[in-house]
Amino acid sequence: MIEAEWWEYDDMSELASAVAGDVAFIVESALEARNAALLALPGGSTPGPILSELAKAKLGWKRVTIIPTDERLVPLQSELSNVRALAKTFLPGGARVLPITTENADYRLAGNSADAVLQDLPWPPDLVWLGMGEDGHTASIFPGPDLQTALDAPKARRAVGVMPDPLPENAPVARVTLTRASILSARTLLITVTGDRKRQLLEQAIADGHSSKLPIGRVLAEAEQPIDIHWCP
Ligand code: 6PG
């Protein structure tokens, strides 16, 4: 049974200050408990204003490591790179923003390299924050031939390479992604979504759980921790 709590806001600016406040609290608690924090942050367009708000928080950023939950296989300087957006936002404050891909022609090898990078980090992440696409993908766990690989990878495996099918229009490239097990290993799980359509999709995916046709439903079906979902129109 997925334990999800929905938090609703009137608009993005309200959502951004609430979520930035929650994540700042997660960082402070991690720094207090372990003197370090590890955050896995999503790509896509929704998180932009929230991340900007978060970056303004006065935190011990030098002790914070930030990784993307998933990365598109593009050069680091590409507008499509998730880590590029994270670096722009958080490097100025002193956080350590870690790319998980190199330019690698073969997406499965890229997945192996990403996994190797992540194996060197103290695990689990204090936060895995997820978005969701209109096809129900989350991180880069997409419908396609690699869906099962990302869902069923062994617990110790942190990242895999995936080829979405169909390729998403906004970023039609292969990806690497955290696996279901590594997403669910997070100390805290948080989701941000906007708009009625995504809300309905996510509600249905949660209701369907294991039998969901949507990747996010299959991922969340195995969550043992409660999940906070932040939504605005
Ligand atoms: C990515 C993501 C992805 C994203 C959703 C939602 O790199 O594609 O991490 O899972 O969160 O596609 O994206 P939007 O916020 O742009 O709708």
Side-chain angles (χ1 to χ4, degrees):
M1 175 76 186
I2 303 171
E3 208 184 310
E5 182 159 7
W6 286 80
W7 301 84
E8 295 184 17
Y9 307 91
D10 288 342
D11 54 36
M12 180 46 85
S13 98
E14 234 185 59
L15 183 150
S17 38
V19 174
D22 286 3
V23 176
F25 179 74
I26 290 167
V27 171
E28 275 170 350
S29 311
L31 293 180
E32 226 172 273
R34 288 173 292 284
N35 200 29
L38 174 61
L39 308 179
L41 304 183
S45 54
T46 310
I50 317 170
L51 297 175
S52 305
E53 191 70 29
L54 173 64
K56 290 187 216 151
K58 299 238 169 309
L59 297 167
W61 285 112
K62 287 201 161 53
R63 291 173 287 148
V64 178
T65 300
I66 295 176
I67 52 169
T69 54
D70 60 310
E71 183 60 290
R72 293 98 179 252
L73 292 192
V74 293
L76 277 183
Q77 65 274 20
S78 161
E79 293 277 334
L80 292 181
S81 162
N82 285 340
V83 84
R84 176 180 184 268
L86 294 173
K88 265 176 103 173
T89 309
F90 292 104
L91 282 182
R96 174 183 177 223
V97 180
L98 205 64
I100 58 172
T101 55
T102 50
E103 278 176 62
N104 200 320
D106 180 321
Y107 72 91
R108 291 200 177 90
L109 287 180
N112 294 348
S113 311
D115 184 59
V117 170
L118 297 178
Q119 293 293 339
D120 280 343
L121 296 178
W123 210 256
D126 296 292
L127 169 71
V128 171
W129 166 356
L130 298 170
M132 184 189 77
E134 302 231 330
D135 58 355
H137 78 264
T138 191
S140 277
I141 305 188
F142 274 90
D146 303 299
L147 174 62
Q148 225 48 47
T149 310
L151 292 177
D152 296 338
K155 266 209 162 127
R157 178 86 188 203
R158 293 183 183 163
V160 292
V162 294
M163 182 63 81
D165 184 13
L167 283 172
E169 263 171 38
N170 60 340
V173 290
R175 318 289 185 97
V176 298
T177 184
L178 293 184
T179 61
R180 168 163 66 181
S182 58
I183 289 172
L184 298 183
S185 72
R187 291 194 166 92
T188 314
L189 262 185
L190 180 156
I191 301 178
T192 48
V193 278
T194 57
D196 289 329
R197 186 174 144 69
K198 282 192 181 179
R199 185 188 175 127
Q200 279 163 16
L201 265 186
L202 184 52
E203 280 175 346
Q204 192 60 50
I206 288 174
D208 293 345
H210 278 290
S211 61
S212 174
K213 289 200 172 53
L214 303 181
I216 195 162
R218 308 276 295 285
V219 169
L220 299 183
E222 298 207 346
E224 283 170 4
Q225 62 276 68
I227 304 159
D228 283 317
I229 304 173
H230 298 265
W231 177 89
C232 73

